[in-house]
Amino acid sequence: MTVLSKLVEKTESGFSPIPVIDISDPESKHALVKACEDFGFFKVINHGVSSELVSVLEHEAVEFFSLPASEKTQVAGYPFGYGNREIGRNGDVGWVEYLLMNANLDFGSHPFLPGLLQNQEIFRNALLEYTTSVRKMTCDVLDLMTDGLGIKPRNTLSKLVSDKNTDSIFRLNHYPPCPLINKNTNDGNNVIGFGEHTDPQIISVLRSNNTSGLQINLADGSWISVPSDPSSFFFNVSDSLQVLTNGRFKSVKHRVLANSRKSRVSMIYFAGPSLTQRIAPLTCLIDNEDESLYEEFTWSEYKKSANNSRLSDNRLQAFERKAVAISLNDS
């Protein structure tokens, strides 16, 4: 199979435009760059993450979400812990419950794992092994990106998310079957599981069970559904990577629609840099400072700004260079 042929795949309903990247092939670096430029989103195959490990963690996630609400709410908290319906603190809601964790914590001492599950040790170990494997895969993908962009050294991007002090997050989402979709009072409209948004980190890695619902927003403003594939991983460019590439890569807006019959469980690894890491367009991708579209900021500054925003807000707008913004408005 050639690299070009990997840009589309056949589904039951026809051809999907979602780029498919075989990261075992070094030549996929060109298709990877194109996917980040055109979509900000792609599917990864031949990733090397154990399917058995994924199955164990998904099983444990289902076990957790099957617990009575009274038990799950014992570990509710902000920013980490259990949440239901409310997404953040700024009024966003969805047909979702979730468990949010710091991916860099020592899971053996994590405050809300012990006592909730019969197999706490299995869950803890699966979680640690999974995040370790996914982080390695993420670094491999970022190294392919730098190869495709012609950036040296090769770990320019991957080193931002591989340090022990990186601020990465792991999230388990559960979207229960939604009876509202079948109600006449809903007029047949979609029910939002998770509202439209971009991710603020560098890159996000998602894997879900065999239930559809994820959609991405294309450049023309239309939404397309992402065919479910529990054996693969989906990557989306996030805000900080858009800044690092000076807008060449697009931070993709995405959302999840609720399903009337099937439960959807997804696992998302948000690869973020350390809190003190400075984020600005890479100098090797611009000829001079005047071409920079964004002001420099630290990840801590951007994270705080993102946490104070609504899901659908354009978070990067506040960090655009004013001269550039004025020029765009005048044109």
Side-chain angles (χ1 to χ4, degrees), residues 60 78 121 148:
E60 295 303 315
Y78 182 85
E121 198 67 27

Side-chain angles (χ1 to χ4, degrees), residues 198-200 239 302 306 309-311 313-319:
T198 60
D199 296 332
D239 294 348
Y302 193 65
S309 67
R310 297 290 300 271
L311 272 181
D313 287 347
N314 180 356
R315 302 181 179 113
L316 279 176
Q317 189 170 31
F319 296 87

Side-chain angles (χ1 to χ4, degrees), residues 102 104 135 159-168 269 272-275:
N102 185 328
N104 288 340
R135 176 153 66 174
K159 69 181 180 182
L160 300 179
V161 301
S162 59
D163 184 83
K164 65 179 181 179
N165 295 318
T166 55
D167 184 42
S168 296
Y269 177 79
S274 65
L275 291 172

